[in-house]
Amino acid sequence: MPVTDVLRADLREDTRARIEQAALELFSAAGFEQVTIEEIAAAAGTSRRTFFRTVGSKADAVWGDFDGHVDRLATLLEHSGDDVPVLTAVLGAYVEVNDYAPEDLPVLRQRMRLILTEPALQAHSQLRYADVDRVVAGYVARRCGEQPTALVPRLVATATRAAATTAFEAWLSGAAPSLADALRTAFGQLAEGFPGLR
Amino acid sequence: MPVTDVLRADLREDTRARIEQAALELFSAAGFEQVTIEEIAAAAGTSRRTFFRTVGSKADAVWGDFDGHVDRLATLLEHSGDDVPVLTAVLGAYVEVNDYAPEDLPVLRQRMRLILTEPALQAHSQLRYADVDRVVAGYVARRCGEQPTALVPRLVATATRAAATTAFEAWLSGAAPSLADALRTAFGQLAEGFPGLR
DNA sequence: GTTGCCCGTGGCACTCGGTGCCTCTAGCGT
DNA sequence: ACGCTAGAGGCACCGAGTGCCACGGGCAAC
């Protein structure tokens, strides 16, 4: 790979970053539905056509590099020891993959606030979470010696992801001191089978 | 209310039924994205404009009267005794609200197959399920003496709904003999905190 | 019966998200 | 100077969804 390819890739990432930043600000200020692609492109100093080419869709402008996120989750699960309980491993992977640097937290808050409150983004999130679920279900299946499509692996995947989402909501609303803390609380409740409610 | 209102309401329900039936068949045959509103309207013997007026959106054509579904779930939870455990009550409500007559099962299968496999419908489902979650979270909060926005009520709502969705998948794939059976299995796993995985 | 009202319906025009196709241009190696 | 490549812009098009207006049939009051 010649040097030029790297430079050009950097250029594309630059425009991507500009677009995502502009989109995040405009969405937060005026609401997701109220902002048009044309306005985002103008704010990012580019064109409508380039917007779609670099970020794919309006919703994707909010998610950033979520595929990399999922890949990291998969790697973490792969490299977790078989001696640690399954639920603990999943919790650990969720905590570590969401261990953001303090300076990144404001942007994360902005992003998650949009995803959790804007209906269109809430709907789109299901598609992204499905990728996460597949990864987790695959891991649970491997640990249990079952098929990834069997009930328990799927259930663990969706239930833990539900716990993670709830933890995000709690963190966002200020009810939890930290994201890791909220995740541990939610997973704890889940793993105990909701004592007192049975 | 004069008799005419009832008759006219019936007329509107007739066109709604025609549209939903045509949409379900076309979607199942050719795929959700491949079918245009115009084609559905033509198959239902009506117009594009009437389609949007009666069913609201393309995705809503698949969901039928889901609001009534949610209302029934709320009523069932309201009338469940306080002596029965919370999770048991939620399971019971889910089982009862999904207790379809045998002749309705084929249509239900068709509907759920679309919702669980078509990406656009999968995304839209999140919005519908959010209504369910609000109802369940409200019930759990009342039983626990907590706020509906607190972590545990929200977590129970999303986790039980995840269990219900997984149960639907299992039923649809033929892995479970009946929907009620799949629901009981999934809720059982959830309430036990996934023994063997901790 | 005629008039006026209500309401389901259809048509039309418009916005906006998303895509395919073509072109331009800047940077590169030969 | 030449061609190649890839990011970028422009343009036309499709389809979902909406606002507005017009038509028509049933119904009630006069």
Side-chain angles (χ1 to χ4, degrees):
Chain A
M1 182 196 292
V3 186
T4 61
D5 282 14
V6 177
L7 288 174
R8 286 185 176 170
D10 276 357
L11 281 183
R12 197 165 73 191
E13 283 311 305
D14 271 5
T15 56
R16 167 185 280 271
R18 285 206 321 274
I19 289 173
E20 286 179 1
Q21 190 178 335
L24 220 56
E25 285 172 11
L26 290 174
F27 290 161
S28 296
F32 183 78
E33 308 270 11
Q34 275 61 48
V35 181
T36 68
I37 308 287
E38 203 115 29
E39 291 169 341
I40 303 172
T46 181
S47 76
R48 184 179 138 77
R49 195 62 190 83
T50 298
F51 174 95
F52 283 112
R53 198 162 8 227
T54 57
V55 304
S57 78
K58 196 178 179 183
D60 282 323
V62 181
W63 283 86
D65 181 27
F66 193 73
D67 285 339
H69 206 76
V70 176
D71 288 344
R72 276 164 53 211
L73 185 72
T75 306
L76 285 169
L77 286 175
E78 270 178 38
H79 292 88
S80 70
D82 278 9
D83 52 333
V84 54
V86 173
L87 283 186
T88 310
V90 176
L91 167 62
Y94 264 112
V95 167
E96 198 165 331
V97 87
N98 287 303
D99 182 22
Y100 292 88
E103 64 265 28
D104 293 335
L105 288 181
V107 180
L108 180 65
R109 283 199 112 93
Q110 211 175 6
R111 225 188 274 273
M112 291 310 299
R113 213 187 72 84
L114 286 169
I115 291 173
L116 290 173
T117 58
E118 292 283 352
L121 290 173
Q122 211 176 328
H124 182 81
S125 70
Q126 188 70 5
L127 302 178
R128 298 320 206 95
Y129 291 151
D131 295 335
V132 177
D133 287 359
R134 266 186 288 276
V135 166
V136 175
Y139 168 74
V140 175
R142 191 160 47 73
R143 285 289 304 267
C144 297
E146 282 193 76
Q147 293 296 316
T149 56
L151 191 139
V152 169
R154 277 180 175 274
L155 178 55
V156 172
T158 52
T160 51
R161 201 242 309 146
T165 306
T166 311
F168 260 102
E169 286 174 355
W171 170 69
L172 206 63
S173 73
S178 77
L179 197 46
D181 217 72
L183 283 168
R184 273 188 277 269
T185 305
F187 271 70
Q189 290 285 331
L190 194 66
E192 289 168 8
F194 308 106
L197 304 183
R198 287 174 293 178
Chain B
M1 182 195 293
V3 185
T4 61
D5 283 11
V6 178
L7 288 174
R8 288 188 174 166
D10 276 355
L11 280 183
R12 199 166 68 187
E13 283 310 305
D14 271 3
T15 56
R16 164 185 284 270
R18 285 206 323 274
I19 289 173
E20 286 179 0
Q21 191 178 333
L24 220 55
E25 284 172 11
L26 290 174
F27 290 161
S28 297
F32 184 78
E33 308 269 12
Q34 277 61 47
V35 181
T36 68
I37 308 287
E38 203 116 28
E39 290 169 343
I40 303 172
T46 182
S47 76
R48 182 180 140 78
R49 195 65 191 82
T50 299
F51 175 95
F52 283 111
R53 197 157 16 222
T54 56
V55 302
S57 78
K58 197 179 179 183
D60 283 323
V62 180
W63 283 86
D65 183 27
F66 194 73
D67 284 341
H69 206 76
V70 175
D71 287 345
R72 276 165 53 213
L73 185 72
T75 307
L76 285 170
L77 286 174
E78 270 177 37
H79 292 86
S80 69
D82 279 8
D83 52 334
V84 53
V86 173
L87 282 186
T88 309
V90 175
L91 167 62
Y94 263 112
V95 168
E96 197 163 333
V97 87
N98 287 302
D99 183 24
Y100 292 89
E103 64 265 27
D104 293 336
L105 287 182
V107 180
L108 181 64
R109 283 199 111 92
Q110 211 174 8
R111 227 188 274 272
M112 291 310 297
R113 213 187 72 83
L114 286 169
I115 291 172
L116 291 172
T117 58
E118 292 282 353
L121 291 173
Q122 211 176 328
H124 183 81
S125 70
Q126 188 70 5
L127 302 177
R128 297 322 203 92
Y129 291 151
D131 295 336
V132 178
D133 286 359
R134 267 186 287 275
V135 167
V136 175
Y139 168 73
V140 175
R142 191 162 44 74
R143 286 289 301 269
C144 298
E146 282 193 77
Q147 292 297 315
T149 57
L151 191 140
V152 169
R154 276 181 175 274
L155 178 56
V156 172
T158 54
T160 51
R161 201 241 310 144
T165 307
T166 310
F168 260 102
E169 286 175 355
W171 169 70
L172 206 64
S173 72
S178 78
L179 198 45
D181 216 71
L183 282 168
R184 272 187 278 268
T185 304
F187 270 70
Q189 290 285 331
L190 194 65
E192 289 168 7
F194 308 105
L197 304 185
R198 289 174 293 176

